[in-house]
Amino acid sequence: MENSVLNPYFRQHIQHLSLAECQEAKQLLENRISKLYKPELWPIMDIHIEALQLSSRAYNALKINRINTVGDILVNGLDKLGMIRNVGSLTEKEVRNKLIGILPK
């Protein structure tokens, strides 16, 4: 599989797939990324949520739900952040504010 567009964040999540499944997943991810995210966001997608210095409640809510990186948050969608178990409106606001601080202008 060529590595031209697929960033390392996504590559690590599809290593267990067959070649056909991998190519299909790559296409799906590239389509979603091209619609939702700009390539300049890719470098921040590998940032671990520890670097956001979130409150314990926010950090634990994300970790329990297997959200470990900024990329996990962005791929799931900021609009769905409040739907995550144990993420209320204050936690959602906190995470959004921290993300705004690291997103490129």
Side-chain angles (χ1 to χ4, degrees):
M1 178 173 78
E2 72 179 77
N3 295 327
S4 61
V5 179
L6 193 60
N7 112 351
Y9 168 81
F10 296 107
R11 204 174 312 121
Q12 76 182 11
H13 291 287
I14 62 171
Q15 288 178 346
H16 66 283
L17 301 176
S18 70
L19 182 59
E21 292 171 323
C22 193
Q23 289 171 337
E24 181 181 345
K26 176 185 175 186
Q27 187 62 44
L28 289 171
L29 289 171
E30 287 175 347
N31 288 341
R32 183 163 186 190
I33 289 169
S34 67
K35 289 178 186 174
L36 300 175
Y37 310 110
K38 300 173 185 172
E40 55 265 19
L41 291 181
W42 289 359
I44 68 163
M45 293 184 80
D46 290 329
I47 296 174
H48 289 273
I49 61 170
E50 289 85 356
L52 298 178
Q53 298 179 339
L54 298 166
S55 66
S56 295
R57 180 168 184 77
Y59 174 81
N60 290 335
L62 295 176
K63 280 300 222 182
I64 287 170
N65 289 285
R66 296 186 179 155
I67 296 174
N68 299 307
T69 65
V70 170
D72 293 335
I73 297 169
L74 295 177
V75 168
N76 288 324
L78 286 174
D79 56 329
K80 295 181 181 141
L81 197 56
M83 296 169 46
I84 296 172
R85 185 172 163 242
N86 295 328
V87 175
S89 60
L90 291 176
T91 301
E92 180 180 2
K93 185 176 180 178
E94 177 188 356
V95 172
R96 284 178 183 268
N97 288 338
K98 294 290 186 167
L99 288 176
I100 288 170
I102 65 166
L103 292 174
K105 303 289 180 206

